């Protein structure tokens, strides 16, 4: 039996462990997605651990900063990584626990990711480069279509579970059918939105080196060295957080016993749920990699047609919930 209440400082220890696991697992998920894409392209592809080598390479490189850059350009990499780490504090891991699990944690998640996007868009403009400014304007264009649907989808799930805590949602969703119409529509909306948030085809191409088609990568062109490493790590961590968010909303963990720090956690239960969620997380990575391999990037002005499906599904989920409950 694991007992979190046996010693003082247990919460701090497990909070740090939670963050450390997320930070170390994020590059591994990126390596897995690249490996699956290489499989569909019938080539060997890079090693699963290549993202770790890339991060280590960036950290040892010399950094070159534009003479036109201000303090915004300099602080953005650390701020983006820090904001993404803050977001990971509210997303439950495969073990069904998050360091911050109070009411309103879903708004914490949206605000943290929004803050990172805001400063990254400013940094793309700040360096004075043509492609950085182009990437920033496109990023804001996509964000205006993505963020309302993202918040609305979480709001629908919050109304269904009567809590705005992501950890509380995981506990409450276990007692609800996964085939309830509002839940299915909200999850579909999150799937569509995750494609755009992760910069994946058909919205964006994370592997492109053609500046005219870049969205997210365009804002990173002026960065190098450790700053580029921080931004790359933050993007990998954001990818892990969104896929883990989908994982525990689809397969919620039984955390009723985990809500009490005075009680023990059966190790077998923790292990079985953890293995199930990690397997489903890898399956989601395979799904997105496969989807990216069988589709092509759409034109910029056709992106609203793709993202409108997510927003429409979120609105329809809210209306369906309203009708089934006879008013909210």
């Amino acid at each position: 039996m694991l007992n979190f209440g046996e010693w003082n400082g247990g919460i701090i220890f497990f909070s740090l462990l939670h963050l450390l696991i997320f930070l170390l697992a994020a590059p591994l998920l990126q390596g897995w997605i690249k490996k699956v894409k290489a499989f569909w392209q019938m080539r060997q592809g890079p090693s699963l651990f290549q993202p770790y080598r890339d991060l280590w390479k960036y950290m040892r490189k010399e950094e070159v900063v534009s003479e036109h850059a201000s303090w915004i350009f300099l602080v953005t990499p650390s701020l983006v990584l820090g904001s993404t780490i803050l977001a990971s504090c509210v997303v439950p891991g495969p073990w069904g626990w998050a360091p911050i699990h109070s009411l309103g944690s879903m708004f914490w998640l949206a605000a943290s990711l929004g803050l990172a996007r805001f400063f990254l868009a400013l940094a793309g403009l700040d360096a004075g480069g043509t492609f950085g400014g182009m990437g920033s304007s496109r990023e804001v264009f996509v964000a205006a279509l993505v963020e309302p649907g993202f918040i609305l989808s979480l709001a629908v799930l919050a109304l269904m579970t009567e809590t705005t805590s992501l950890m509380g949602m995981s506990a409450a969703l276990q007692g609800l059918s996964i085939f309830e119409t509002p839940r299915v529509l909200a999850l579909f909306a999150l799937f569509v939105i995750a494609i755009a948030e992760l910069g994946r085809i058909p919205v964006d191409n994370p592997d492109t080196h053609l500046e005219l088609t870049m969205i997210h990568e365009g804002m990173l062109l002026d960065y190098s060295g450790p700053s580029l490493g921080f931004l790359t790590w933050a993007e990998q961590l954001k990818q892990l957080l969104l896929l883990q968010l989908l994982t525990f909303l689809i397969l919620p963990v039984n955390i009723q016993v985990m809500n009490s720090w005075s009680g023990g956690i059966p190790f077998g239960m923790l292990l079985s749920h953890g293995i199930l969620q990690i397997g489903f997380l890898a399956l989601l990575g395979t799904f997105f990699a496969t989807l990216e391999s069988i589709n092509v990037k759409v034109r910029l002005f056709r992106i609203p047609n793709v993202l409108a499906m997510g927003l429409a599904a979120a609105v329809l989920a809210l209306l369906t919930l309203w009708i089934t409950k006879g008013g909210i």
Side-chain angles (χ1 to χ4, degrees):
M1 303 283 284
L2 298 178
N3 195 327
F4 290 117
E6 286 182 350
W7 57 290
N8 294 329
I11 296 179
I12 296 177
F13 172 78
F14 284 102
S15 297
L16 294 176
L17 183 62
H18 174 95
L19 296 178
L20 182 63
I21 292 175
F22 268 94
L23 284 169
L24 293 179
L28 184 62
L29 177 61
Q30 177 69 9
W32 169 254
I33 291 177
K34 285 184 175 294
K35 201 70 175 177
V36 174
K37 289 176 63 177
F39 169 79
W40 290 118
Q41 295 167 4
M42 292 185 289
R43 57 186 180 87
Q44 182 176 354
S47 166
L48 280 175
F49 304 104
Q50 186 59 43
Y52 294 101
R53 300 188 185 105
D54 292 338
L55 290 176
W56 178 247
K57 177 184 67 176
Y58 293 145
M59 297 305 177
R60 295 185 299 164
K61 290 282 187 178
E62 180 182 359
E63 188 167 353
V64 179
V65 180
S66 170
E67 60 181 7
H68 304 291
S70 69
W71 63 271
I72 294 178
F73 184 87
L74 299 176
V75 303
T76 291
S78 300
L79 195 146
V80 169
L81 181 58
S83 297
T84 313
I85 291 175
L86 285 177
S88 67
C89 291
V90 299
V91 177
W95 41 92
W97 180 81
I100 300 175
H101 47 267
S102 59
L103 293 178
S105 63
M106 67 175 234
F107 300 110
W108 179 299
L109 174 65
S112 298
L113 297 181
L115 179 65
R117 176 185 284 113
F118 174 73
F119 270 89
L120 190 57
L122 284 182
L125 295 168
D126 185 64
T130 304
F131 296 116
M134 188 184 301
S136 296
S137 64
R138 291 175 176 178
E139 178 73 12
V140 174
F141 168 69
V142 172
L145 301 171
V146 165
E147 290 184 353
F150 181 68
I151 296 175
L152 189 57
S153 301
L154 292 179
V156 169
L157 296 172
L159 291 171
M160 291 182 64
T161 57
E162 299 181 351
T163 179
T164 55
S165 167
L166 293 177
M167 185 170 160
M169 283 184 196
S170 181
L173 284 173
Q174 194 172 39
L176 301 176
S177 171
I178 194 174
F179 298 107
E180 287 192 24
T181 304
R183 184 177 179 182
V184 171
L185 290 172
L187 290 175
F188 174 75
L190 287 175
F191 263 104
V192 176
I193 290 165
I195 294 174
E197 285 280 7
L198 300 177
R200 296 285 172 183
I201 291 174
V203 176
D204 192 12
N205 186 357
D207 297 324
T208 184
H209 296 286
L210 181 60
E211 291 86 349
L212 294 176
T213 63
M214 287 181 177
I215 297 181
H216 176 77
E217 295 298 322
M219 298 181 292
L220 308 184
L221 286 179
D222 292 305
Y223 280 103
S224 59
S227 293
L228 181 58
F230 280 7
L231 292 173
T232 303
W233 203 356
E235 188 62 24
Q236 294 170 355
L237 180 58
K238 178 182 177 181
Q239 177 176 253
L240 176 61
L241 292 180
L242 291 177
L243 294 191
Q244 175 59 22
L245 178 68
L246 287 170
T247 297
F248 83 78
L249 290 177
I250 297 173
L251 294 177
V253 178
N254 182 6
I255 58 171
Q256 295 177 0
V257 68
M258 299 183 190
N259 289 332
S260 175
W261 291 97
S262 59
I265 301 176
F267 181 76
M269 178 195 299
L270 188 63
L271 184 62
S272 62
H273 280 301
I275 293 175
L276 181 62
Q277 287 222 335
I278 291 173
F280 193 80
L281 180 65
L283 185 63
L284 281 179
T286 304
F287 171 78
F288 280 105
T290 304
L291 188 67
E292 194 168 330
S293 300
I294 63 176
N295 284 286
V296 296
K297 183 182 180 302
V298 300
R299 293 181 60 190
L300 180 66
F301 296 109
R302 292 185 181 271
I303 290 178
N305 299 338
V306 177
L307 300 182
M309 293 190 298
L311 182 57
V315 173
L316 190 58
L318 183 62
L319 292 176
T320 306
L321 186 62
W322 182 288
I323 294 172
T324 55
K325 285 194 172 185
I328 299 175

